[in-house]
Amino acid sequence: MNNSVSNTARLLWAGLRALLVLTVVTGILYPLAITGVAQGLFNDKANGSEITSNGKVVGSSLIGQAYNLPLKKGQETPEPDLKWFQGRPQNGLGTNSVNTQYKLILSGATNRSGDNGAVDGVCPKDPAKVEEATLCQWVVAAKDAVIKDNSVNGYTVRSVPPDAVTSSGSGLDPDISPAYADIQVHRVAEKNGLSVAQVQKLVDDHTDGRTLGFIGEPTVNVLQLNIALKELVAKG
């Protein structure tokens, strides 16, 4: 009986010691070591890839932001503020009632198939011929809106890049293609009283090339571009 109690106590003490050691190693020392390495070598990324403007954190380079006018009565999705560069459609295509302003409660894109609403594999160009509440309807409507918003005096949009009318897988993409940025240049210049050359230079300066020169596609971070635009407008 005494041996049984002694053995049980010894096993419990051994288990407790293992628990304490593992708690210290995996719950304290390891996290501190990883945090130290991350802060020392990857400080910017470890802290959320923050973007600052005038000494204040205004967002992250990894999460898109909306540039909209105040929501009007009866609207589910606010209208875009056209003096700013616009990002990709937010968590879906066209209007949506789930994630209208890049809210971080949830993320995701439409679950509709690529040919949803297509006729013979192609989306009808005439909005009146597109089946309602389908991917094609949203894409066609978004394309028409992009052409309308960005066609200004002396400039008409001829081609609309895919990222202008489709959301990313997360619905929170912070970047757009240089092609989408380019078709917004004339509209942004007109709305802000700037020359096209000034705004185009902003886009060129904020275009990031492919990773390592061959991975991915060139991108433009919308938040960083709009911060630079705000600074340029302030200079007069």
Side-chain angles (χ1 to χ4, degrees), residues 160-178:
V160 177
D163 60 311
V165 296
T166 58
S167 63
S168 63
S170 68
L172 304 173
D173 197 340
D175 302 320
I176 58 176
S177 66

Side-chain angles (χ1 to χ4, degrees), residues 98-138:
V98 179
N99 193 11
T100 57
Q101 293 191 43
Y102 283 122
K103 294 177 181 178
L104 300 183
I105 297 175
L106 54 86
S107 67
T110 174
N111 63 355
R112 287 168 170 73
S113 64
D115 61 352
N116 181 233
V119 177
D120 295 327
V122 179
C123 289
K125 294 182 179 180
D126 185 355
K129 297 181 180 179
V130 183
E131 184 181 350
E132 292 186 3
T134 62
L135 184 69
C136 279
Q137 182 195 36
W138 295 337

Side-chain angles (χ1 to χ4, degrees), residues 181-216:
D182 287 343
I183 67 173
Q184 299 185 62
V185 165
H186 287 76
R187 182 252 300 161
V188 171
E190 181 181 273
K191 294 290 184 181
N192 290 281
L194 300 170
S195 70
V196 171
Q198 285 177 299
V199 180
Q200 185 63 59
K201 185 176 186 304
L202 281 184
V203 172
D204 295 340
D205 290 345
H206 288 81
T207 299
D208 297 321
R210 293 177 171 86
T211 303
L212 300 179
F214 67 94
I215 300 175

